[in-house]
PDB file of all heavy atoms in Angstrom:
ATOM      1  N   ALA A 306     -12.980  10.179  14.410  1.00 49.00           N
ATOM      2  CA  ALA A 306     -13.024  10.175  15.875  1.00 49.00           C
ATOM      3  C   ALA A 306     -13.394  11.554  16.403  1.00 49.00           C
ATOM      4  O   ALA A 306     -14.217  11.704  17.294  1.00 49.00           O
ATOM      5  CB  ALA A 306     -11.677   9.730  16.439  1.00 49.00           C
ATOM      6  N   LEU A 307     -12.755  12.581  15.792  1.00 49.00           N
ATOM      7  CA  LEU A 307     -13.029  13.950  16.240  1.00 49.00           C
ATOM      8  C   LEU A 307     -14.503  14.314  15.995  1.00 49.00           C
ATOM      9  O   LEU A 307     -15.162  14.885  16.857  1.00 49.00           O
ATOM     10  CB  LEU A 307     -12.104  14.916  15.488  1.00 49.00           C
ATOM     11  CG  LEU A 307     -12.214  16.393  15.892  1.00 49.00           C
ATOM     12  CD1 LEU A 307     -11.774  16.569  17.321  1.00 49.00           C
ATOM     13  CD2 LEU A 307     -11.385  17.250  14.977  1.00 49.00           C
ATOM     14  N   LEU A 308     -14.996  13.947  14.800  1.00 49.00           N
ATOM     15  CA  LEU A 308     -16.399  14.252  14.480  1.00 49.00           C
ATOM     16  C   LEU A 308     -17.344  13.574  15.460  1.00 49.00           C
ATOM     17  O   LEU A 308     -18.303  14.164  15.936  1.00 49.00           O
ATOM     18  CB  LEU A 308     -16.719  13.783  13.059  1.00 49.00           C
ATOM     19  CG  LEU A 308     -16.356  14.762  11.956  1.00 49.00           C
ATOM     20  CD1 LEU A 308     -16.545  14.124  10.595  1.00 49.00           C
ATOM     21  CD2 LEU A 308     -17.213  16.017  12.040  1.00 49.00           C
ATOM     22  N   LEU A 309     -17.031  12.284  15.761  1.00 47.00           N
ATOM     23  CA  LEU A 309     -17.901  11.562  16.683  1.00 47.00           C
ATOM     24  C   LEU A 309     -17.887  12.193  18.070  1.00 47.00           C
ATOM     25  O   LEU A 309     -18.908  12.293  18.731  1.00 47.00           O
ATOM     26  CB  LEU A 309     -17.486  10.090  16.764  1.00 47.00           C
ATOM     27  CG  LEU A 309     -17.854   9.241  15.549  1.00 47.00           C
ATOM     28  CD1 LEU A 309     -17.389   7.815  15.740  1.00 47.00           C
ATOM     29  CD2 LEU A 309     -19.345   9.252  15.310  1.00 47.00           C
ATOM     30  N   LEU A 310     -16.689  12.652  18.510  1.00 45.00           N
ATOM     31  CA  LEU A 310     -16.598  13.286  19.815  1.00 45.00           C
ATOM     32  C   LEU A 310     -17.438  14.561  19.870  1.00 45.00           C
ATOM     33  O   LEU A 310     -18.072  14.866  20.864  1.00 45.00           O
ATOM     34  CB  LEU A 310     -15.139  13.621  20.141  1.00 45.00           C
ATOM     35  CG  LEU A 310     -14.354  12.499  20.816  1.00 45.00           C
ATOM     36  CD1 LEU A 310     -12.903  12.872  20.935  1.00 45.00           C
ATOM     37  CD2 LEU A 310     -14.920  12.199  22.197  1.00 45.00           C
ATOM     38  N   LEU A 311     -17.428  15.299  18.744  1.00 42.00           N
ATOM     39  CA  LEU A 311     -18.209  16.536  18.729  1.00 42.00           C
ATOM     40  C   LEU A 311     -19.702  16.246  18.812  1.00 42.00           C
ATOM     41  O   LEU A 311     -20.464  17.047  19.324  1.00 42.00           O
ATOM     42  CB  LEU A 311     -17.927  17.318  17.436  1.00 42.00           C
ATOM     43  CG  LEU A 311     -16.586  18.010  17.377  1.00 42.00           C
ATOM     44  CD1 LEU A 311     -16.426  18.679  16.027  1.00 42.00           C
ATOM     45  CD2 LEU A 311     -16.457  19.038  18.469  1.00 42.00           C
ATOM     46  N   LEU A 312     -20.096  15.063  18.291  1.00 43.00           N
ATOM     47  CA  LEU A 312     -21.513  14.764  18.275  1.00 43.00           C
ATOM     48  C   LEU A 312     -22.015  14.192  19.590  1.00 43.00           C
ATOM     49  O   LEU A 312     -23.190  13.990  19.767  1.00 43.00           O
ATOM     50  CB  LEU A 312     -21.828  13.764  17.150  1.00 43.00           C
ATOM     51  CG  LEU A 312     -21.739  14.350  15.747  1.00 43.00           C
ATOM     52  CD1 LEU A 312     -21.905  13.256  14.722  1.00 43.00           C
ATOM     53  CD2 LEU A 312     -22.809  15.398  15.546  1.00 43.00           C
ATOM     54  N   VAL A 313     -21.111  13.878  20.506  1.00 41.00           N
ATOM     55  CA  VAL A 313     -21.562  13.334  21.784  1.00 41.00           C
ATOM     56  C   VAL A 313     -22.331  14.412  22.541  1.00 41.00           C
ATOM     57  O   VAL A 313     -21.832  15.522  22.677  1.00 41.00           O
ATOM     58  CB  VAL A 313     -20.354  12.864  22.631  1.00 41.00           C
ATOM     59  CG1 VAL A 313     -20.759  12.654  24.073  1.00 41.00           C
ATOM     60  CG2 VAL A 313     -19.784  11.594  22.051  1.00 41.00           C
ATOM     61  N   PRO A 314     -23.543  14.123  23.015  1.00 41.00           N
ATOM     62  CA  PRO A 314     -24.286  15.145  23.771  1.00 41.00           C
ATOM     63  C   PRO A 314     -23.582  15.477  25.072  1.00 41.00           C
ATOM     64  O   PRO A 314     -23.113  14.594  25.761  1.00 41.00           O
ATOM     65  CB  PRO A 314     -25.639  14.494  24.020  1.00 41.00           C
ATOM     66  CG  PRO A 314     -25.451  13.063  23.785  1.00 41.00           C
ATOM     67  CD  PRO A 314     -24.300  12.896  22.861  1.00 41.00           C
ATOM     68  N   GLY A 315     -23.477  16.757  25.374  1.00 41.00           N
ATOM     69  CA  GLY A 315     -22.764  17.187  26.563  1.00 41.00           C
ATOM     70  C   GLY A 315     -23.553  16.932  27.822  1.00 41.00           C
ATOM     71  O   GLY A 315     -24.764  16.792  27.785  1.00 41.00           O
ATOM     72  N   PRO A 316     -22.894  16.867  28.953  1.00 56.00           N
ATOM     73  CA  PRO A 316     -23.601  16.649  30.209  1.00 56.00           C
ATOM     74  C   PRO A 316     -24.242  17.941  30.697  1.00 56.00           C
ATOM     75  O   PRO A 316     -23.902  19.025  30.239  1.00 56.00           O
ATOM     76  CB  PRO A 316     -22.478  16.213  31.160  1.00 56.00           C
ATOM     77  CG  PRO A 316     -21.263  16.889  30.621  1.00 56.00           C
ATOM     78  CD  PRO A 316     -21.428  17.001  29.144  1.00 56.00           C
ATOM     79  N   GLY A 317     -25.131  17.832  31.636  1.00 74.00           N
ATOM     80  CA  GLY A 317     -25.748  19.013  32.221  1.00 74.00           C
ATOM     81  C   GLY A 317     -26.999  19.432  31.491  1.00 74.00           C
ATOM     82  O   GLY A 317     -27.321  18.926  30.425  1.00 74.00           O
ATOM     83  N   GLY A 318     -27.695  20.350  32.091  1.00 82.00           N
ATOM     84  CA  GLY A 318     -28.930  20.837  31.486  1.00 82.00           C
ATOM     85  C   GLY A 318     -30.042  20.867  32.502  1.00 82.00           C
ATOM     86  O   GLY A 318     -29.860  20.509  33.661  1.00 82.00           O
ATOM     87  N   ALA A 319     -31.196  21.331  32.056  1.00 86.00           N
ATOM     88  CA  ALA A 319     -32.341  21.444  32.952  1.00 86.00           C
ATOM     89  C   ALA A 319     -33.549  20.790  32.328  1.00 86.00           C
ATOM     90  O   ALA A 319     -33.712  20.802  31.105  1.00 86.00           O
ATOM     91  CB  ALA A 319     -32.633  22.905  33.233  1.00 86.00           C
ATOM     92  N   SER A 320     -34.392  20.211  33.162  1.00 88.00           N
ATOM     93  CA  SER A 320     -35.653  19.652  32.704  1.00 88.00           C
ATOM     94  C   SER A 320     -36.769  20.360  33.443  1.00 88.00           C
ATOM     95  O   SER A 320     -36.823  20.338  34.663  1.00 88.00           O
ATOM     96  CB  SER A 320     -35.734  18.161  33.026  1.00 88.00           C
ATOM     97  OG  SER A 320     -34.606  17.486  32.565  1.00 88.00           O
ATOM     98  N   GLU A 321     -37.655  20.989  32.676  1.00 90.00           N
ATOM     99  CA  GLU A 321     -38.788  21.695  33.278  1.00 90.00           C
ATOM    100  C   GLU A 321     -40.026  20.987  32.818  1.00 90.00           C
ATOM    101  O   GLU A 321     -40.273  20.940  31.612  1.00 90.00           O
ATOM    102  CB  GLU A 321     -38.859  23.103  32.676  1.00 90.00           C
ATOM    103  CG  GLU A 321     -38.194  24.163  33.443  1.00 90.00           C
ATOM    104  CD  GLU A 321     -38.495  25.528  32.841  1.00 90.00           C
ATOM    105  OE1 GLU A 321     -38.954  25.593  31.689  1.00 90.00           O
ATOM    106  OE2 GLU A 321     -38.263  26.492  33.540  1.00 90.00           O
ATOM    107  N   ILE A 322     -40.785  20.425  33.729  1.00 91.00           N
ATOM    108  CA  ILE A 322     -41.951  19.652  33.299  1.00 91.00           C
ATOM    109  C   ILE A 322     -43.146  20.011  34.170  1.00 91.00           C
ATOM    110  O   ILE A 322     -43.018  20.153  35.385  1.00 91.00           O
ATOM    111  CB  ILE A 322     -41.637  18.138  33.372  1.00 91.00           C
ATOM    112  CG1 ILE A 322     -40.692  17.782  32.222  1.00 91.00           C
ATOM    113  CG2 ILE A 322     -42.881  17.293  33.298  1.00 91.00           C
ATOM    114  CD1 ILE A 322     -40.473  16.324  32.023  1.00 91.00           C
ATOM    115  N   THR A 323     -44.309  20.156  33.544  1.00 93.00           N
ATOM    116  CA  THR A 323     -45.563  20.355  34.268  1.00 93.00           C
ATOM    117  C   THR A 323     -46.430  19.151  33.967  1.00 93.00           C
ATOM    118  O   THR A 323     -46.648  18.829  32.804  1.00 93.00           O
ATOM    119  CB  THR A 323     -46.284  21.619  33.762  1.00 93.00           C
ATOM    120  OG1 THR A 323     -45.361  22.678  33.736  1.00 93.00           O
ATOM    121  CG2 THR A 323     -47.428  21.974  34.685  1.00 93.00           C
ATOM    122  N   PHE A 324     -46.906  18.467  34.996  1.00 92.00           N
ATOM    123  CA  PHE A 324     -47.708  17.274  34.764  1.00 92.00           C
ATOM    124  C   PHE A 324     -48.867  17.242  35.739  1.00 92.00           C
ATOM    125  O   PHE A 324     -48.880  17.937  36.756  1.00 92.00           O
ATOM    126  CB  PHE A 324     -46.852  16.012  34.905  1.00 92.00           C
ATOM    127  CG  PHE A 324     -46.323  15.776  36.295  1.00 92.00           C
ATOM    128  CD1 PHE A 324     -46.968  14.918  37.166  1.00 92.00           C
ATOM    129  CD2 PHE A 324     -45.181  16.422  36.735  1.00 92.00           C
ATOM    130  CE1 PHE A 324     -46.494  14.702  38.446  1.00 92.00           C
ATOM    131  CE2 PHE A 324     -44.692  16.221  38.013  1.00 92.00           C
ATOM    132  CZ  PHE A 324     -45.353  15.361  38.870  1.00 92.00           C
ATOM    133  N   GLU A 325     -49.842  16.391  35.413  1.00 91.00           N
ATOM    134  CA  GLU A 325     -51.011  16.282  36.271  1.00 91.00           C
ATOM    135  C   GLU A 325     -50.870  15.054  37.155  1.00 91.00           C
ATOM    136  O   GLU A 325     -50.552  13.971  36.671  1.00 91.00           O
ATOM    137  CB  GLU A 325     -52.267  16.160  35.412  1.00 91.00           C
ATOM    138  CG  GLU A 325     -53.466  16.689  36.123  1.00 91.00           C
ATOM    139  CD  GLU A 325     -54.681  16.746  35.227  1.00 91.00           C
ATOM    140  OE1 GLU A 325     -54.870  17.775  34.564  1.00 91.00           O
ATOM    141  OE2 GLU A 325     -55.425  15.761  35.202  1.00 91.00           O
ATOM    142  N   LEU A 326     -51.115  15.239  38.447  1.00 90.00           N
ATOM    143  CA  LEU A 326     -50.976  14.157  39.411  1.00 90.00           C
ATOM    144  C   LEU A 326     -52.379  13.798  39.903  1.00 90.00           C
ATOM    145  O   LEU A 326     -53.008  14.584  40.607  1.00 90.00           O
ATOM    146  CB  LEU A 326     -50.111  14.659  40.569  1.00 90.00           C
ATOM    147  CG  LEU A 326     -49.606  13.669  41.605  1.00 90.00           C
ATOM    148  CD1 LEU A 326     -48.765  12.609  40.953  1.00 90.00           C
ATOM    149  CD2 LEU A 326     -48.789  14.415  42.635  1.00 90.00           C
ATOM    150  N   PRO A 327     -52.911  12.632  39.501  1.00 88.00           N
ATOM    151  CA  PRO A 327     -54.266  12.288  39.930  1.00 88.00           C
ATOM    152  C   PRO A 327     -54.322  12.037  41.439  1.00 88.00           C
ATOM    153  O   PRO A 327     -53.290  11.861  42.085  1.00 88.00           O
ATOM    154  CB  PRO A 327     -54.582  11.003  39.163  1.00 88.00           C
ATOM    155  CG  PRO A 327     -53.504  10.838  38.172  1.00 88.00           C
ATOM    156  CD  PRO A 327     -52.320  11.595  38.668  1.00 88.00           C
ATOM    157  N   ASP A 328     -55.559  11.977  41.988  1.00 86.00           N
ATOM    158  CA  ASP A 328     -55.682  11.745  43.432  1.00 86.00           C
ATOM    159  C   ASP A 328     -55.206  10.349  43.763  1.00 86.00           C
ATOM    160  O   ASP A 328     -55.363   9.427  42.969  1.00 86.00           O
ATOM    161  CB  ASP A 328     -57.123  11.958  43.887  1.00 86.00           C
ATOM    162  CG  ASP A 328     -58.108  11.301  42.953  1.00 86.00           C
ATOM    163  OD1 ASP A 328     -58.116  11.642  41.758  1.00 86.00           O
ATOM    164  OD2 ASP A 328     -58.876  10.450  43.423  1.00 86.00           O
ATOM    165  N   ASN A 329     -54.656  10.199  44.968  1.00 88.00           N
ATOM    166  CA  ASN A 329     -54.113   8.923  45.449  1.00 88.00           C
ATOM    167  C   ASN A 329     -53.031   8.375  44.541  1.00 88.00           C
ATOM    168  O   ASN A 329     -52.863   7.165  44.440  1.00 88.00           O
ATOM    169  CB  ASN A 329     -55.219   7.859  45.567  1.00 88.00           C
ATOM    170  CG  ASN A 329     -56.047   8.077  46.802  1.00 88.00           C
ATOM    171  OD1 ASN A 329     -55.511   8.406  47.844  1.00 88.00           O
ATOM    172  ND2 ASN A 329     -57.332   7.936  46.681  1.00 88.00           N
ATOM    173  N   ALA A 330     -52.311   9.236  43.859  1.00 88.00           N
ATOM    174  CA  ALA A 330     -51.279   8.744  42.951  1.00 88.00           C
ATOM    175  C   ALA A 330     -49.931   9.269  43.360  1.00 88.00           C
ATOM    176  O   ALA A 330     -49.803  10.247  44.100  1.00 88.00           O
ATOM    177  CB  ALA A 330     -51.595   9.167  41.528  1.00 88.00           C
ATOM    178  N   LYS A 331     -48.908   8.592  42.845  1.00 90.00           N
ATOM    179  CA  LYS A 331     -47.532   8.978  43.115  1.00 90.00           C
ATOM    180  C   LYS A 331     -46.795   8.843  41.801  1.00 90.00           C
ATOM    181  O   LYS A 331     -46.943   7.861  41.098  1.00 90.00           O
ATOM    182  CB  LYS A 331     -46.968   8.007  44.152  1.00 90.00           C
ATOM    183  CG  LYS A 331     -45.541   8.217  44.491  1.00 90.00           C
ATOM    184  CD  LYS A 331     -45.178   7.325  45.652  1.00 90.00           C
ATOM    185  CE  LYS A 331     -43.696   7.129  45.744  1.00 90.00           C
ATOM    186  NZ  LYS A 331     -43.297   6.384  46.911  1.00 90.00           N
ATOM    187  N   GLN A 332     -46.032   9.867  41.448  1.00 92.00           N
ATOM    188  CA  GLN A 332     -45.260   9.768  40.212  1.00 92.00           C
ATOM    189  C   GLN A 332     -43.806  10.049  40.480  1.00 92.00           C
ATOM    190  O   GLN A 332     -43.474  11.006  41.191  1.00 92.00           O
ATOM    191  CB  GLN A 332     -45.801  10.736  39.167  1.00 92.00           C
ATOM    192  CG  GLN A 332     -46.937  10.108  38.397  1.00 92.00           C
ATOM    193  CD  GLN A 332     -47.415  10.957  37.263  1.00 92.00           C
ATOM    194  OE1 GLN A 332     -46.712  11.846  36.810  1.00 92.00           O
ATOM    195  NE2 GLN A 332     -48.614  10.674  36.795  1.00 92.00           N
ATOM    196  N   CYS A 333     -42.944   9.204  39.920  1.00 92.00           N
ATOM    197  CA  CYS A 333     -41.523   9.309  40.183  1.00 92.00           C
ATOM    198  C   CYS A 333     -40.757   9.601  38.908  1.00 92.00           C
ATOM    199  O   CYS A 333     -41.129   9.134  37.831  1.00 92.00           O
ATOM    200  CB  CYS A 333     -40.994   8.001  40.773  1.00 92.00           C
ATOM    201  SG  CYS A 333     -41.682   7.662  42.383  1.00 92.00           S
ATOM    202  N   PHE A 334     -39.667  10.342  39.058  1.00 93.00           N
ATOM    203  CA  PHE A 334     -38.782  10.646  37.950  1.00 93.00           C
ATOM    204  C   PHE A 334     -37.370  10.283  38.372  1.00 93.00           C
ATOM    205  O   PHE A 334     -37.015  10.386  39.545  1.00 93.00           O
ATOM    206  CB  PHE A 334     -38.863  12.125  37.584  1.00 93.00           C
ATOM    207  CG  PHE A 334     -40.217  12.525  37.080  1.00 93.00           C
ATOM    208  CD1 PHE A 334     -41.210  12.921  37.956  1.00 93.00           C
ATOM    209  CD2 PHE A 334     -40.501  12.488  35.730  1.00 93.00           C
ATOM    210  CE1 PHE A 334     -42.458  13.273  37.500  1.00 93.00           C
ATOM    211  CE2 PHE A 334     -41.749  12.843  35.262  1.00 93.00           C
ATOM    212  CZ  PHE A 334     -42.729  13.230  36.145  1.00 93.00           C
ATOM    213  N   TYR A 335     -36.585   9.849  37.398  1.00 92.00           N
ATOM    214  CA  TYR A 335     -35.237   9.372  37.690  1.00 92.00           C
ATOM    215  C   TYR A 335     -34.244  10.123  36.837  1.00 92.00           C
ATOM    216  O   TYR A 335     -34.553  10.540  35.733  1.00 92.00           O
ATOM    217  CB  TYR A 335     -35.112   7.882  37.367  1.00 92.00           C
ATOM    218  CG  TYR A 335     -36.186   7.018  37.972  1.00 92.00           C
ATOM    219  CD1 TYR A 335     -37.446   6.938  37.401  1.00 92.00           C
ATOM    220  CD2 TYR A 335     -35.944   6.286  39.129  1.00 92.00           C
ATOM    221  CE1 TYR A 335     -38.430   6.156  37.963  1.00 92.00           C
ATOM    222  CE2 TYR A 335     -36.925   5.497  39.686  1.00 92.00           C
ATOM    223  CZ  TYR A 335     -38.172   5.434  39.099  1.00 92.00           C
ATOM    224  OH  TYR A 335     -39.151   4.656  39.650  1.00 92.00           O
TER     225      TYR A 335
END
Side-chain angles (χ1 to χ4, degrees):
Chain A
L307 183 65
L308 275 172
L309 286 180
L310 273 173
L311 286 177
L312 288 173
V313 165
S320 308
E321 265 188 344
I322 287 190
T323 311
F324 65 97
E325 207 172 271
L326 190 59
D328 45 301
N329 283 320
K331 177 172 160 175
Q332 274 186 19
C333 294
F334 296 87
Y335 309 79

